[in-house]
Each structure stands twice: as C-alpha cells, then as structure tokens.
Amino acid sequence: MGLKTSLSGTSVQTQALITSAMGGILLLYLSQWVLSGLDASGKWLLSLGTPLVLLAWFRYFIHFVLITVLIYPKYQFKYFRSHSIKFQLVRAIFMLMATLLLFTTLSYLPQAQATAIIFLAPLMMLAASPWLLGEAPRASRWVAAMIGFCGVLIVIRPGSGLHLTGVMFGLLAAIAFSVQNMMTRRVARDHPFTTLIWSGLAGTLVLSAIMPFMWSQVLEFMSSLAAFDWLILISTGLTGAFGHLIQIQAYRLAPASVLAPFIYMQMTAAATIGWLIWGDLPDATTWLGIGIIFASGVGVGWFEWRNQATKSSPA
C-alpha cells in the first residue's frame, strides 16, 4: 500500500513537472513573438526616418516606467537594490549598444536574416564562457559555435543580396548581445525584476543625456508623425517590457536547460513577421543557413541537457 502511494505521488510530481515545463516553453515562444514584434516596429519606424536615439529612448523610457508601475506599488524599492551594481551597469550599457546596433541592422536587412546573424550571440557566449565566466571548457560548445558561424556565412554569402553595412552592424550586435548574456549570468544573484529595472533606467538616462544635442531634429520629426505611427512608437516600450516579463515567467516554470534549445524558435517568428509585413521570404540557400544555426543551437542545448540529466541521476 505504501509503495503504491509512493509511486502514485512520484507520478503526480512528474506530471506536474512536465506540465510546468510545457508552460515554460509556450511562454518562451510567446515572448519571442512579442520581441520579434518589437524588432518589426523598430524596422518600420526607421523606414519612416525616425531618429535612432528617439526610437531607443521611447523603447527604454516606457519600459522603465511600465516596470516601475508594476513593481513599486507592491514591493516599493525592494527590487531597485542590486548585489552587483557594477555588473548591472555593464550589462545595461551593452544591452543599449546591442539595441542600437540591432535597430541599425534591421534598417538594412530583412528581419529573418538579421535575426539569424544575431543568434550567433548565445553560441559566442557559450564558446567564450571558460575565459570570461570561469566555466569548464567544453568541446561541444566550440563545435556548436563553429557550426553556427558556418550557418551565418551561408546567410551572408556573396550573392545573397544583403547590404554589407547591415551585415557588419549585425555581427557587432551579436558581439554586444553575447556580452550582455554573459553579464546576465554575472548578475544572477539579483532578482530578474532588478535586472529589468536597471536595464530600463540606465538606457533611459544615457539616451536622455544625448537627446538635447539633437532636440531640433527630434521635435521636427515628432510633429510629422501620424496617430498610427505614434502608437507604433509607444508600443516599442510595451513590447520590450512585456516580452522580457513573459520570458521571466517562462524561466520560473521551466529550467534554463530545458528552454535553451527553444530560444532559436524566434527565427520562425522573425521570418513570419518579415513575410507578413514586408513580403521578405528567405530563399532556399538562406533557409539552409538558418537551419544550420538553428541545429547548432538546439544540438548543443540538447547535448548539455542530456549530460546534466546523466550527472544528476542516482547511481
């Protein structure tokens, strides 16, 4: 009787873990659609001639205000305090740089191809983690990074029609995102809300300091915006904040090792949105490159998850 009860309890617990993991995967994919919507909004606004600093300022200012409004009434300044101020600031600066570089990339390249280049970032982070994060070196990570880079080379190959300037900005954005990701690990002691707050605050302050130097250009452009364009501009902050909030909830439901292979599903969202809005559909060779990047990321994620599961299983 006791054995049956124990087995039943284990079965229920396993089912709960599976359900939670599935919920985390679905929320992660939803966040990818939301963040791809942010990318599309930025690309749309830049095509109208929106100053890059103005676009980024709205994205960060509304992000900061929204997160503060959601958190402060219940927690006051609890999540404003950080255990790693230095790393939070470094992370926030590289996140701002990555945002500016990504928006610039999107002004030159179709969304799917830009996203494919950016997804070098997690592979670069894994490959560099032994030196920058003190993690154990693993050949699987270096192999995945090299395979992923081969995929990017196929995407940006001569004859692909991609603007060289956009490709260069995309590679720089991938480097900035990889540093941001590494700094995210450095601030792991802080609550995710703390990281969201500092990201929004630092970006807002830096961009607000730059804004006065281009005030006449900003005012002239803002006076020419239609109501729909204003909605798109404001939405950048909303989608940025909500996309990251949904991601936080995803990682609360499922371990990072489970979610890691599904990060690359964002390329499907980017390709779909790019096709729906601009009619940009990658050709067969570009899809091959995207598939190689996807496979390298999913492969190393699965490999590390399997090794972790093997080590944690009882002898």
Side-chain angles (χ1 to χ4, degrees):
M1 181 69 177
L3 179 60
K4 288 184 178 180
T5 303
S6 176
L7 290 174
S8 176
T10 302
S11 177
V12 170
Q13 185 179 18
T14 302
Q15 185 62 43
L17 289 173
I18 293 173
T19 301
S20 182
M22 290 299 297
I25 293 168
L26 290 174
L27 282 178
L28 179 68
Y29 194 43
L30 175 60
S31 75
Q32 292 169 346
W33 276 90
V34 174
L35 293 174
S36 292
L38 165 63
D39 295 343
S41 298
K43 183 175 177 66
W44 173 278
L45 290 163
L46 288 171
S47 71
L48 299 178
T50 308
L52 179 60
V53 171
L54 176 65
L55 170 59
W57 185 87
F58 267 91
R59 183 258 178 272
Y60 278 93
F61 175 71
I62 295 174
H63 166 117
F64 175 67
V65 170
L66 182 61
I67 295 298
T68 302
V69 168
L70 289 174
I71 293 174
Y72 183 79
K74 184 175 182 180
Y75 301 105
Q76 281 76 50
F77 289 102
K78 176 181 178 181
Y79 293 126
F80 284 74
R81 303 184 186 93
S82 169
H83 297 288
S84 313
I85 292 290
K86 178 177 71 174
F87 290 121
Q88 283 286 4
L89 290 175
V90 172
R91 180 189 179 278
I93 293 302
F94 273 93
M95 179 177 173
L96 175 59
M97 291 171 55
T99 300
L100 295 173
L101 289 166
L102 173 58
F103 281 150
T104 304
T105 302
L106 288 165
S107 69
Y108 287 99
L109 303 183
Q111 190 169 347
Q113 285 88 327
T115 302
I117 295 172
I118 297 302
F119 267 101
L120 266 180
L123 295 171
M124 293 167 65
M125 181 194 72
L126 289 175
S129 60
W131 297 280
L132 298 179
L133 295 176
E135 297 181 358
R138 297 177 184 174
S140 59
R141 295 180 173 184
W142 298 331
V143 170
M146 288 187 288
I147 293 174
F149 188 68
C150 289
V152 170
L153 289 179
I154 293 174
V155 172
I156 65 176
R157 69 197 182 280
S160 63
L162 299 183
H163 200 294
L164 180 59
T165 302
V167 170
M168 294 305 297
F169 274 112
L171 293 173
L172 289 173
I175 295 172
F177 273 117
S178 65
V179 177
Q180 175 195 327
N181 291 341
M182 283 185 275
M183 289 302 103
T184 300
R185 292 197 180 188
R186 288 286 191 180
V187 299
R189 288 180 61 198
D190 287 343
H191 193 279
F193 286 161
T194 303
T195 301
L196 280 178
I197 291 168
W198 278 94
S199 300
L201 176 60
T204 300
L205 291 177
V206 171
L207 293 166
S208 295
I210 298 172
M211 195 77 75
F213 295 98
M214 51 186 306
W215 194 241
S216 58
Q217 179 188 358
V218 167
L219 286 179
E220 181 180 356
F221 176 79
M222 289 172 67
S223 64
S224 67
L225 284 178
F228 178 75
D229 300 327
W230 272 107
L231 288 175
I232 298 296
L233 187 58
I234 293 171
S235 76
T236 58
L238 299 176
T239 51
F242 277 118
H244 287 290
L245 281 172
I246 296 169
Q247 274 191 354
I248 288 174
Q249 185 59 30
Y251 281 94
R252 284 181 172 179
L253 291 176
S257 58
V258 172
L259 295 179
F262 296 93
I263 292 174
Y264 295 85
M265 291 297 290
Q266 184 167 346
M267 282 189 275
T268 63
T272 302
I273 291 175
W275 172 64
L276 290 174
I277 298 178
W278 293 282
D280 294 328
L281 196 62
D283 59 23
T285 307
T286 300
W287 274 118
L288 173 63
I290 291 174
I292 290 173
I293 299 168
F294 181 90
S296 64
V298 171
V300 72
W302 175 82
F303 183 80
E304 297 206 355
W305 173 83
R306 189 188 66 175
N307 281 352
Q308 184 179 351
T310 301
K311 289 178 182 179
S312 61
S313 61

